[in-house]
Amino acid sequence: MRYLIMAAALLAIACNPVRERTDTSNYQVIGEKCYVLRQQPMQDSAVKIAKDSIVQFLEGKGFAAKFIEKDSLMFRRANGLQVEIVLPAVQNAWESNAIIVFDPQKNPFFVNLHKGTSQVRQYVTGQ
């Protein structure tokens, strides 16, 4: 009997439509379909070529650019889940040109600039 009561209590908590939201004052909140970039990345020609091809692909698929304003990001998915990410300090040009792709139907995706657009194509198409 007590297991039934505990299960009912857990179900009531899990199905509560009024959930507490995280204090977002220290986060840059992102809830729309976009890709996130640093405002002033380190310059490197090889990195720029890789980044530009990925950016061009994303813009062709309807993703808008958004620039990082704070090192703490909160991605809000369409189903109400929140994904918090704290970005580490930049160590090199590859890290400073990092791209995070976000579709509200999915989790955020960190792009590996070394792999090109194939990984982003998989994320966008869901395959």
Side-chain angles (χ1 to χ4, degrees), residues 19 25 28 41 48 56-57 60 66 80 88 92 101 112 123 125:
R19 293 191 177 161
S25 60
Q28 179 178 351
K48 183 172 176 17
Q56 184 178 15
F57 175 80
K66 191 170 210 66
N92 58 41
V101 182
N112 182 340
Y123 177 81
T125 60

Side-chain angles (χ1 to χ4, degrees), residues 28-59:
Q28 179 178 351
V29 180
I30 300 169
E32 65 276 356
K33 182 177 173 179
C34 66
Y35 61 96
V36 183
L37 305 162
R38 294 192 188 267
Q39 285 187 349
Q40 298 177 350
M42 294 178 191
Q43 297 302 316
D44 181 289
S45 60
V47 177
K48 183 172 176 17
I49 292 168
K51 179 181 163 185
D52 288 348
S53 68
I54 293 170
V55 165
Q56 184 178 15
F57 175 80
L58 289 168
E59 288 177 353

Side-chain angles (χ1 to χ4, degrees), residues 80-91:
L81 294 176
Q82 300 177 145
V83 179
E84 301 171 23
I85 298 173
V86 178
L87 298 173
V90 175
Q91 302 296 320

